[in-house]
Each structure stands twice: as C-alpha cells, then as structure tokens.
Amino acid sequence: MGDLLEPEYFAERLKAALDIKNRELESLGLKTYEFDPLYKRYMELANILGSRIIDTSSLINSELYKDGKKILFEGAQGMMLCIDHGTYPYVTSSTPSAASVPVGAGIAPKWINNVLGVAKAYCTRVGEGPFPTEIHDELAHEIRERGHEYGTVTGRPRRIGWFDAVVARYTSRLAGINNWALMLFDVLSGLDSVKICTHYELDGKIIDTPPSTISRLARCKPVYIEMKGWKEDISDIKNYDDLPQAAKNYVRKIEELTDVPVGVISVGPDRTQTIIVSSELKDF
C-alpha cells in the first residue's frame, strides 16, 4: 500500500475528494477547507503511520494459511440494524452479520468456522423503529439503571424489552451462530419473574420469524412465556452449576427456543465476571 503515501498520488486524490466535500459544505452554508494546510497535516500523519499501513487481507491470509493461527473478528451493532435484513430504514449502513466478515477482511468464507452470537439477557434498542417486546412501565427504568443502558456518546436512554427469541432465531439463521454469549445476565437478578418472547401475533396469526416489512413488524404483538425470577446476587459466581436454578432454567429456555447453546454468560462488567459454559470456547 506504499503507493498511497507517494506525495503526487496522494495530492491528486486529496484534491479530488476535497473538491467534492467543499461543494457539499458550501451548499450547506458551512466552512470549506484549503488544500495546502490539509495536505501538510496528512503528510505529517503519513510519516508517523505509514509503516503501519499494509495490505491486511494479505497479512491475515498469510497467518491463516502458513501459520494456522486462530484469528478473532469482532462485529458491531445488532442484526436488526442490518441494511439488508434489518428493520429498514431504522438500520446502520452495513451488515453486522458474520457473513460480512470474509468480504470486509478479505478472506475466504471457509475460514469462518465458529460464530459467537453476543446477546443481552434482555433486549434494548436505540432510537426509532418497531420494538415488539418493549417494556414501558417502571420496570424498564429499573433495568435501564441497573444495566447503565444509555448511549455511550449521546447519553440517550436506550429502550428496554424482554428477550426476543423470534429475533434471536432470525439472527442465528442469518449469522450461523454456534453459541450465544449471554451478556448482562446479572441485571435480571432480583426480579420476581422474567419473560421471554417465543412468537409474534400478527393480525391474529402466530408467526415465528420477523415479518418482511416494517409496517407489519409494527403490528406484531409478543407472545410470552413467564418464568420464575431469582433473587440471589450472581455477580461473584464463576461456574455455571453454581447459578440459582431459576437462572439456569432461563438459560436453558433460551437454548431450547433458539436451538443454539449458551457458551458464555456475563454476570458483571469485569472480565473476571465471565462464566465459560462451553468447553470448546475455553481456548479463545
């Protein structure tokens, strides 16, 4: 990638990009930028970062083919924010699915051999869009405060809902999830009962997958099962077998409804507050 740092090449690309951006800024009545100061600043950064700019696809493939190393890819956002399969237009600009990793990283699909689906023990959503399992009463506020469910940048409170097995099954199907990592499990401690959405009711019919249009999803009503909660503090528990029986019942019901085993359980914010349930994940 060294050609990107050649002054003539870089200057040409910067001028072209700056011309477009300045016209956009000018149309909005915003400040435009001069070429020379930007060019100088970027070249200063190039001298610092240049040696670290490489062809990452080549590097990763080399590690996979030659050395047989394990490589961990981390995604972001949730499946319902996928631009192709999410609640459009309330989505992000890409796909959070594990299926996007080969394209983004420049590797072959065959190298994706274990997908860990990260899910909260309850559901949250930021901003607008249908949210069938949303909780609207004081309990939502209680869970929000316990889980510190506020936007990292904006501080905006997140919407709170019960675990949605309909969305979890859908996510598993699209991403090929091998195990769930069930996060913020401790937040549900102390509740008399907990709920899991098993299906949706849409216009009088029971469905087990999200409908294809946003208007139909907005009409969906959750079909719940209600389970006994647990009062015990689980934040110091290290082994799955030591969890309260009601907590283990909740985990097993999620596994049953999604047909995906729970491999990791988080019982607190510290890295030591992680219970590894699946033996195949202990090496990661």
Side-chain angles (χ1 to χ4, degrees):
M1 303 296 285
D3 56 341
L4 294 179
L5 300 180
E6 294 177 2
E8 291 184 1
Y9 178 89
F10 179 73
E12 179 183 343
R13 306 317 319 147
L14 179 60
K15 284 179 179 177
L18 187 60
D19 177 60
I20 295 172
K21 291 302 176 183
N22 273 340
R23 278 186 280 172
E24 292 176 351
L25 292 169
E26 188 174 14
S27 69
L28 296 171
L30 301 175
K31 172 188 172 184
T32 58
Y33 292 87
E34 297 291 332
F35 169 79
D36 289 336
L38 278 181
Y39 177 77
K40 180 181 178 181
R41 178 56 179 155
Y42 284 145
M43 290 309 294
E44 290 172 352
L45 293 173
N47 289 329
I48 298 171
L49 302 175
S51 62
R52 294 175 173 82
I53 298 176
I54 62 171
D55 184 339
T56 53
S57 172
S58 177
L59 173 65
I60 294 172
N61 277 282
S62 176
E63 297 294 313
L64 289 168
Y65 278 100
K66 294 181 180 179
D67 299 326
K69 292 185 178 179
K70 294 180 179 179
I71 297 178
L72 176 65
F73 297 96
E74 181 182 6
Q77 309 288 3
M79 195 67 229
M80 299 310 287
L81 296 180
C82 173
I83 194 170
D84 295 310
H85 302 285
T87 52
Y88 188 86
Y90 307 106
V91 295
T92 187
S93 59
S94 59
T95 174
S97 170
S100 68
V101 170
V103 175
I107 61 173
K110 69 177 181 179
W111 294 113
I112 307 301
N113 51 34
N114 198 324
V115 180
L116 183 64
V118 181
K120 294 178 182 178
Y122 51 92
C123 286
T124 62
R125 186 177 181 103
V126 177
E128 301 299 320
F131 189 0
T133 67
E134 184 171 10
I135 305 170
H136 296 281
D137 56 21
E138 182 62 26
L139 179 58
H141 176 72
E142 183 179 344
I143 293 175
R144 184 182 298 112
E145 293 303 311
R146 287 185 187 180
H148 307 291
E149 295 292 356
Y150 293 89
T152 304
V153 177
T154 64
R156 183 168 51 168
R158 298 186 181 115
R159 297 159 67 190
I160 306 295
W162 293 114
F163 188 90
D164 191 334
V166 178
V167 168
R169 287 192 296 266
Y170 180 67
T171 298
S172 175
R173 170 159 57 87
L174 293 174
I177 293 173
N178 300 102
N179 288 271
W180 292 115
L182 201 60
M183 316 306 289
L184 294 154
F185 196 52
D186 55 303
V187 172
L188 296 182
S189 296
L191 300 181
D192 293 328
S193 63
V194 289
K195 294 181 181 180
I196 299 176
C197 172
T198 63
H199 297 80
Y200 293 157
E201 179 186 341
L202 174 61
D203 301 335
K205 296 181 179 180
I206 301 299
I207 60 175
D208 61 3
T209 189
S212 59
T213 65
I214 201 79
S215 59
R216 296 179 72 210
L217 181 60
R219 299 201 303 274
C220 286
K221 298 177 182 179
V223 177
Y224 287 122
I225 56 170
E226 187 166 357
M227 305 179 66
K228 182 180 178 181
W230 56 96
K231 298 293 185 178
E232 297 91 335
D233 179 4
I234 63 174
S235 60
D236 291 326
I237 291 179
K238 306 298 181 184
N239 299 301
Y240 174 80
D241 290 338
D242 296 330
L243 287 170
Q245 187 59 49
K248 288 189 283 190
N249 291 342
Y250 185 79
V251 172
R252 294 308 177 203
K253 182 57 68 173
I254 288 176
E255 294 180 322
E256 175 188 323
L257 291 170
T258 63
D259 199 28
V260 174
V262 172
V264 177
I265 299 174
S266 170
V267 294
D270 193 88
R271 63 182 299 174
T272 63
Q273 294 175 290
T274 302
I275 301 172
I276 306 297
V277 183
S278 173
S279 59
E280 65 184 58
L281 296 175
K282 292 184 183 295
D283 293 335
F284 284 86

Coordinates of all heavy atoms in Angstrom, one line a residue, residues 36-95:
D36 N -3.7 23.2 1.0 CA -2.3 23.2 1.5 C -2.3 22.8 3.0 O -1.5 21.9 3.3 CB -1.6 24.5 1.2 CG -1.3 24.7 -0.2 OD1 -1.2 23.7 -1.0 OD2 -1.2 25.9 -0.7
P37 N -3.0 23.4 3.9 CA -2.9 23.0 5.3 C -3.3 21.5 5.5 O -2.7 20.8 6.3 CB -3.9 24.0 6.0 CG -4.0 25.1 5.1 CD -3.9 24.6 3.7
L38 N -4.4 21.1 4.8 CA -4.8 19.7 4.9 C -3.7 18.7 4.4 O -3.4 17.7 5.1 CB -6.1 19.4 4.2 CG -7.4 19.8 4.9 CD1 -8.6 19.5 3.9 CD2 -7.5 19.1 6.2
Y39 N -3.1 19.1 3.3 CA -2.1 18.2 2.7 C -0.9 18.1 3.6 O -0.4 17.0 3.9 CB -1.7 18.8 1.4 CG -0.5 18.0 0.7 CD1 -0.8 16.8 0.1 CD2 0.8 18.5 0.7 CE1 0.3 16.1 -0.5 CE2 1.8 17.8 0.2 CZ 1.6 16.6 -0.5 OH 2.6 15.9 -1.0
K40 N -0.5 19.3 4.2 CA 0.6 19.3 5.1 C 0.4 18.4 6.3 O 1.2 17.6 6.8 CB 1.0 20.7 5.6 CG 2.1 20.8 6.5 CD 2.4 22.2 7.0 CE 3.5 22.3 8.0 NZ 3.7 23.7 8.4
R41 N -0.8 18.5 6.9 CA -1.2 17.8 8.1 C -1.2 16.3 7.8 O -0.7 15.4 8.6 CB -2.5 18.2 8.6 CG -3.0 17.5 9.9 CD -2.0 17.5 11.0 NE -2.5 16.8 12.2 CZ -1.7 16.3 13.1 NH1 -0.4 16.3 13.0 NH2 -2.2 15.6 14.1
Y42 N -1.8 15.9 6.7 CA -1.9 14.5 6.4 C -0.6 13.9 6.1 O -0.3 12.7 6.4 CB -2.9 14.3 5.2 CG -4.3 14.4 5.5 CD1 -5.3 15.0 4.6 CD2 -4.8 14.0 6.7 CE1 -6.6 15.1 4.9 CE2 -6.2 14.1 7.0 CZ -7.1 14.7 6.1 OH -8.4 14.8 6.5
M43 N 0.3 14.6 5.5 CA 1.6 14.1 5.2 C 2.4 13.9 6.5 O 3.2 13.0 6.6 CB 2.4 15.0 4.2 CG 1.8 15.0 2.8 SD 1.6 13.3 2.1 CE 3.3 12.8 2.0
E44 N 2.2 14.8 7.5 CA 2.8 14.6 8.8 C 2.3 13.3 9.4 O 3.1 12.5 10.0 CB 2.5 15.8 9.7 CG 3.2 17.1 9.3 CD 2.6 18.2 10.1 OE1 1.6 18.0 10.9 OE2 3.2 19.3 10.0
L45 N 1.0 13.0 9.3 CA 0.5 11.8 9.8 C 1.0 10.6 9.1 O 1.2 9.5 9.6 CB -1.1 11.8 9.8 CG -1.7 12.9 10.7 CD1 -3.2 12.9 10.4 CD2 -1.5 12.5 12.2
A46 N 1.1 10.7 7.7 CA 1.6 9.6 6.9 C 3.0 9.2 7.4 O 3.4 8.0 7.4 CB 1.6 10.0 5.5
N47 N 3.8 10.2 7.7 CA 5.2 9.8 8.2 C 5.2 9.1 9.5 O 6.1 8.3 9.8 CB 6.0 11.1 8.4 CG 6.4 11.8 7.0 OD1 6.5 11.1 6.0 ND2 6.4 13.1 7.0
I48 N 4.2 9.3 10.3 CA 4.0 8.6 11.6 C 3.4 7.2 11.4 O 3.9 6.2 11.9 CB 3.2 9.4 12.6 CG1 3.9 10.8 12.9 CG2 2.9 8.6 13.8 CD1 3.0 11.7 13.7
L49 N 2.3 7.2 10.6 CA 1.6 5.9 10.4 C 1.9 5.1 9.2 O 1.5 3.9 9.1 CB 0.1 6.3 10.3 CG -0.5 7.1 11.5 CD1 -2.0 7.4 11.2 CD2 -0.4 6.2 12.8
G50 N 2.7 5.7 8.3 CA 3.0 5.0 7.0 C 3.5 3.6 7.1 O 3.0 2.7 6.4
S51 N 4.4 3.3 8.1 CA 4.9 2.0 8.2 C 3.9 1.0 8.7 O 4.2 -0.3 8.6 CB 6.2 2.0 9.1 OG 5.8 2.4 10.4
R52 N 2.8 1.4 9.2 CA 1.8 0.6 9.8 C 0.7 0.3 8.8 O -0.3 -0.4 9.1 CB 1.3 1.1 11.1 CG 2.3 1.2 12.2 CD 1.8 1.9 13.4 NE 2.7 1.8 14.5 CZ 3.7 2.6 14.7 NH1 4.0 3.6 13.9 NH2 4.5 2.4 15.8
I53 N 0.7 0.9 7.6 CA -0.3 0.7 6.6 C 0.1 -0.4 5.7 O 1.1 -0.3 5.0 CB -0.6 2.0 5.8 CG1 -1.1 3.2 6.7 CG2 -1.6 1.8 4.7 CD1 -1.2 4.5 6.0
I54 N -0.7 -1.5 5.8 CA -0.3 -2.7 5.0 C -1.6 -3.2 4.3 O -2.7 -2.8 4.6 CB 0.3 -3.8 5.9 CG1 -0.7 -4.2 7.0 CG2 1.6 -3.3 6.6 CD1 -0.3 -5.4 7.8
D55 N -1.4 -4.2 3.5 CA -2.5 -5.0 2.9 C -2.9 -6.0 4.0 O -2.4 -7.1 4.1 CB -2.0 -5.7 1.6 CG -3.1 -6.4 0.9 OD1 -4.2 -6.7 1.6 OD2 -3.0 -6.7 -0.3
T56 N -4.0 -5.7 4.7 CA -4.4 -6.5 5.8 C -5.0 -7.9 5.3 O -4.8 -8.9 6.0 CB -5.5 -5.8 6.6 OG1 -6.6 -5.4 5.8 CG2 -5.0 -4.6 7.4
S57 N -5.5 -7.9 4.1 CA -6.0 -9.2 3.6 C -4.8 -10.1 3.4 O -4.9 -11.3 3.7 CB -6.7 -9.0 2.2 OG -7.0 -10.2 1.6
S58 N -3.7 -9.6 2.9 CA -2.6 -10.4 2.7 C -2.0 -10.9 4.0 O -1.6 -12.1 4.1 CB -1.5 -9.6 1.9 OG -0.3 -10.4 1.8
L59 N -1.9 -10.0 5.0 CA -1.4 -10.4 6.3 C -2.3 -11.5 6.9 O -1.7 -12.5 7.4 CB -1.4 -9.2 7.2 CG -1.0 -9.4 8.6 CD1 0.4 -10.0 8.8 CD2 -1.2 -8.2 9.5
I60 N -3.6 -11.3 6.9 CA -4.4 -12.3 7.6 C -4.4 -13.6 6.9 O -4.3 -14.7 7.6 CB -5.9 -11.7 7.6 CG1 -6.0 -10.5 8.5 CG2 -6.9 -12.8 8.2 CD1 -7.3 -9.8 8.5
N61 N -4.4 -13.6 5.6 CA -4.4 -14.9 4.9 C -3.1 -15.6 5.1 O -3.0 -16.8 5.2 CB -4.6 -14.7 3.4 CG -6.1 -14.6 3.0 OD1 -6.8 -15.6 2.9 ND2 -6.6 -13.4 2.9
S62 N -2.0 -14.8 5.2 CA -0.7 -15.4 5.5 C -0.7 -16.1 6.8 O -0.2 -17.2 7.0 CB 0.4 -14.3 5.5 OG 1.7 -14.9 5.8
E63 N -1.3 -15.5 7.8 CA -1.4 -16.1 9.2 C -2.2 -17.3 9.2 O -1.9 -18.3 9.8 CB -2.0 -15.1 10.2 CG -1.1 -13.8 10.4 CD 0.2 -14.1 11.0 OE1 0.2 -14.8 12.0 OE2 1.2 -13.6 10.5
L64 N -3.3 -17.3 8.4 CA -4.2 -18.5 8.3 C -3.6 -19.7 7.6 O -3.6 -20.8 8.0 CB -5.5 -18.1 7.6 CG -6.4 -17.2 8.4 CD1 -7.5 -16.6 7.6 CD2 -7.0 -17.9 9.6
Y65 N -3.0 -19.4 6.4 CA -2.5 -20.5 5.5 C -1.2 -21.0 6.0 O -1.0 -22.2 6.1 CB -2.4 -20.0 4.1 CG -3.6 -20.0 3.3 CD1 -4.4 -18.8 3.1 CD2 -4.1 -21.1 2.7 CE1 -5.5 -18.8 2.4 CE2 -5.3 -21.1 2.0 CZ -6.0 -19.9 1.8 OH -7.2 -19.9 1.1
K66 N -0.2 -20.1 6.3 CA 1.1 -20.5 6.6 C 1.3 -21.0 8.1 O 1.9 -22.0 8.4 CB 2.1 -19.4 6.3 CG 2.2 -19.1 4.8 CD 3.2 -18.0 4.6 CE 3.3 -17.6 3.1 NZ 4.3 -16.5 2.9
D67 N 0.7 -20.2 9.0 CA 0.9 -20.5 10.4 C -0.2 -21.2 11.1 O -0.1 -21.6 12.3 CB 1.3 -19.2 11.1 CG 2.5 -18.6 10.6 OD1 3.4 -19.3 10.2 OD2 2.6 -17.3 10.6
G68 N -1.4 -21.2 10.5 CA -2.6 -21.9 11.0 C -3.0 -21.2 12.3 O -3.6 -21.9 13.2
K69 N -2.9 -19.9 12.4 CA -3.3 -19.2 13.7 C -4.8 -19.0 13.7 O -5.5 -19.0 12.7 CB -2.5 -17.9 13.7 CG -1.0 -18.0 14.0 CD -0.4 -16.6 14.1 CE 1.1 -16.8 14.4 NZ 1.7 -15.4 14.6
K70 N -5.3 -18.9 14.9 CA -6.7 -18.5 15.2 C -6.8 -17.0 15.2 O -6.0 -16.3 15.8 CB -7.2 -19.1 16.5 CG -7.2 -20.6 16.6 CD -7.7 -21.0 17.9 CE -7.8 -22.5 18.0 NZ -8.3 -23.0 19.3
I71 N -7.8 -16.5 14.4 CA -8.0 -15.1 14.3 C -9.4 -14.8 14.8 O -10.4 -15.4 14.3 CB -7.7 -14.6 12.9 CG1 -6.3 -14.8 12.5 CG2 -8.1 -13.1 12.8 CD1 -5.9 -14.4 11.1
L72 N -9.5 -13.8 15.7 CA -10.8 -13.4 16.2 C -11.3 -12.1 15.5 O -10.6 -11.1 15.6 CB -10.7 -13.2 17.7 CG -12.0 -12.7 18.4 CD1 -13.1 -13.7 18.3 CD2 -11.7 -12.4 19.9
F73 N -12.4 -12.1 14.9 CA -13.0 -11.0 14.3 C -14.2 -10.5 15.2 O -15.0 -11.3 15.7 CB -13.6 -11.2 12.9 CG -12.5 -11.7 11.9 CD1 -12.3 -13.0 11.7 CD2 -11.8 -10.7 11.3 CE1 -11.3 -13.4 10.8 CE2 -10.8 -11.1 10.3 CZ -10.6 -12.4 10.1
E74 N -14.3 -9.2 15.4 CA -15.3 -8.7 16.3 C -16.3 -7.8 15.5 O -15.8 -6.9 14.8 CB -14.8 -7.8 17.4 CG -15.8 -7.3 18.4 CD -15.3 -6.4 19.5 OE1 -14.0 -6.2 19.4 OE2 -16.0 -6.0 20.3
G75 N -17.6 -8.1 15.5 CA -18.5 -7.3 14.8 C -19.1 -6.2 15.7 O -18.7 -6.0 16.8
A76 N -20.0 -5.4 15.1 CA -20.6 -4.3 15.9 C -22.1 -4.2 15.5 O -22.5 -4.8 14.4 CB -19.9 -3.0 15.6
Q77 N -22.9 -3.6 16.3 CA -24.3 -3.4 16.0 C -25.1 -4.7 16.2 O -24.5 -5.7 16.6 CB -24.6 -2.8 14.6 CG -23.8 -1.5 14.3 CD -24.2 -0.3 15.1 OE1 -25.1 -0.4 15.9 NE2 -23.6 0.8 14.8
G78 N -26.4 -4.7 15.9 CA -27.2 -5.9 16.1 C -27.8 -6.2 14.7 O -27.8 -5.4 13.8
M79 N -28.2 -7.5 14.6 CA -28.7 -8.0 13.3 C -29.9 -7.2 12.8 O -30.0 -7.1 11.6 CB -29.1 -9.5 13.5 CG -29.2 -10.2 12.2 SD -27.6 -10.4 11.3 CE -28.1 -9.8 9.7
M80 N -30.7 -6.7 13.7 CA -31.9 -6.0 13.2 C -31.5 -4.6 12.6 O -32.4 -3.9 12.1 CB -32.9 -5.9 14.3 CG -33.5 -7.2 14.7 SD -34.0 -8.3 13.4 CE -35.5 -7.5 12.9
L81 N -30.2 -4.2 12.8 CA -29.8 -3.0 12.2 C -29.1 -3.2 10.9 O -28.5 -2.3 10.3 CB -28.8 -2.3 13.2 CG -29.4 -1.8 14.5 CD1 -28.3 -1.1 15.3 CD2 -30.5 -0.8 14.2
C82 N -29.1 -4.5 10.4 CA -28.5 -4.8 9.1 C -29.2 -4.1 7.9 O -30.5 -4.1 7.9 CB -28.6 -6.3 8.9 SG -28.1 -6.9 7.3
I83 N -28.5 -3.5 7.0 CA -29.1 -2.7 5.9 C -29.9 -3.6 5.0 O -30.8 -3.2 4.3 CB -28.0 -1.9 5.2 CG1 -28.7 -0.9 4.3 CG2 -27.1 -2.9 4.4 CD1 -27.7 0.1 3.7
D84 N -29.5 -4.9 4.9 CA -30.2 -5.9 4.0 C -31.3 -6.6 4.7 O -32.3 -6.9 4.1 CB -29.2 -6.9 3.5 CG -28.1 -6.2 2.6 OD1 -28.5 -5.4 1.7 OD2 -26.9 -6.4 2.8
H85 N -31.1 -7.0 6.0 CA -32.0 -7.9 6.6 C -32.6 -7.3 7.9 O -33.3 -8.1 8.6 CB -31.4 -9.2 6.9 CG -30.8 -9.9 5.7 ND1 -31.6 -10.6 4.8 CD2 -29.5 -10.1 5.3 CE1 -30.8 -11.1 3.9 NE2 -29.6 -10.8 4.1
G86 N -32.4 -6.1 8.2 CA -32.9 -5.4 9.4 C -34.2 -4.7 9.2 O -34.9 -4.8 8.2
T87 N -34.5 -3.8 10.2 CA -35.7 -3.1 10.2 C -35.5 -1.8 9.5 O -35.6 -0.7 10.0 CB -36.1 -2.8 11.7 OG1 -35.0 -2.2 12.4 CG2 -36.5 -4.0 12.4
Y88 N -35.3 -1.9 8.2 CA -35.1 -0.7 7.3 C -36.4 0.2 7.3 O -37.5 -0.3 7.3 CB -34.9 -1.2 5.9 CG -34.5 -0.1 4.9 CD1 -33.1 0.3 4.8 CD2 -35.4 0.6 4.2 CE1 -32.8 1.3 4.0 CE2 -35.1 1.6 3.4 CZ -33.7 2.0 3.2 OH -33.4 3.0 2.4
P89 N -36.2 1.5 7.5 CA -35.0 2.3 7.3 C -34.2 2.6 8.6 O -33.3 3.3 8.7 CB -35.5 3.6 6.8 CG -36.8 3.8 7.4 CD -37.4 2.4 7.5
Y90 N -34.7 1.9 9.7 CA -34.0 2.1 11.0 C -32.8 1.2 11.2 O -32.8 0.2 12.0 CB -35.0 1.9 12.2 CG -36.3 2.8 12.0 CD1 -37.5 2.2 11.6 CD2 -36.2 4.1 12.2 CE1 -38.6 2.9 11.4 CE2 -37.4 4.9 12.1 CZ -38.5 4.3 11.7 OH -39.7 5.1 11.5
V91 N -31.8 1.4 10.3 CA -30.7 0.5 10.2 C -29.4 1.2 10.2 O -29.4 2.5 10.1 CB -30.8 -0.4 9.0 CG1 -32.0 -1.4 9.1 CG2 -30.9 0.4 7.7
T92 N -28.3 0.5 10.2 CA -27.0 1.1 10.0 C -26.6 1.0 8.5 O -27.4 0.5 7.7 CB -25.9 0.4 10.9 OG1 -24.7 1.1 10.8 CG2 -25.7 -1.1 10.5
S93 N -25.4 1.4 8.2 CA -25.0 1.4 6.8 C -24.4 0.2 6.2 O -23.8 0.2 5.1 CB -24.1 2.6 6.5 OG -22.9 2.5 7.3
S94 N -24.3 -0.9 7.0 CA -23.7 -2.1 6.6 C -24.4 -3.3 7.2 O -25.5 -3.2 7.7 CB -22.2 -2.1 7.0 OG -22.1 -2.0 8.4
T95 N -23.8 -4.5 7.1 CA -24.4 -5.7 7.7 C -23.6 -6.1 8.9 O -22.4 -6.3 8.8 CB -24.6 -6.8 6.7 OG1 -25.1 -8.0 7.5 CG2 -23.4 -7.2 6.0

